[in-house]
Amino acid sequence: MTETPLPKASEPVPTVELVTELAPGDLDDLIDATDSAISDGGGFGWVRLPAREVLERYWRGVMTMPSRILFVGRMDGVICGTAQLITPQKNNEAQNFSVTMTTVFVAPWARGHGLARMMVEKMEEVARDEGYSAINLDVRESQDVAIKLYESMGYVHFGTHPFYARVDGKIIPGRYYYKVLDPSGLKDRPEIDLV
């Protein structure tokens, strides 16, 4: 008797996209991914899991804010991570050349496939295409994996806030980073090393 070999499982397919509206099922995926990230300690500000209705209102609110650009990471079509760019307000001419990266996370079940790196690369691409010259971000010092990712992608650590966050009753420092996307957009500051 000859045994038939089992088919090999295919590798999951990670993708990243900029989202301007939520398709059916996306809101549930967003909430499930957020639940997972918060439960695992990476809830971009939340330390306790909020009610599902709170998360629904949060994500619906993000979609209505013109200053927020939402990116989602998908694994085989299911949203499992997000990231946002915050653009400067129209009246903020002094900082109209830079954006802020925030709320970057990947649900624990989808990690290890390069999705966080893909989301950051996509955000950088969109920011460059929109004419922004620099990108800023901040992260809890306890988030080692995120810090390694940002530093491996050329983000420069320029400061630490000793009282950045409180998690489980403990104060955690925060790290601040920037990356120059387009040095020509910053040419008025020749004293700054842009390399």
Side-chain angles (χ1 to χ4, degrees), residues 2 6 9 12 24 31 51 70 88-89 91 98 139-140 144 157 160 167 178 180 193:
T2 308
L6 294 173
I31 292 169
L70 177 64
Q89 298 295 320
N91 65 327
S98 67
V139 62
R140 288 183 214 156
D144 298 327
H157 175 232
T160 300
V167 179
Y178 73 89
V180 174
D193 182 12

Side-chain angles (χ1 to χ4, degrees), residues 97-98 105 111 117 138 141 156:
F97 62 90
S98 67
F105 74 85
R111 293 178 185 157
R117 180 176 292 276
D138 55 88
E141 202 167 74
V156 178

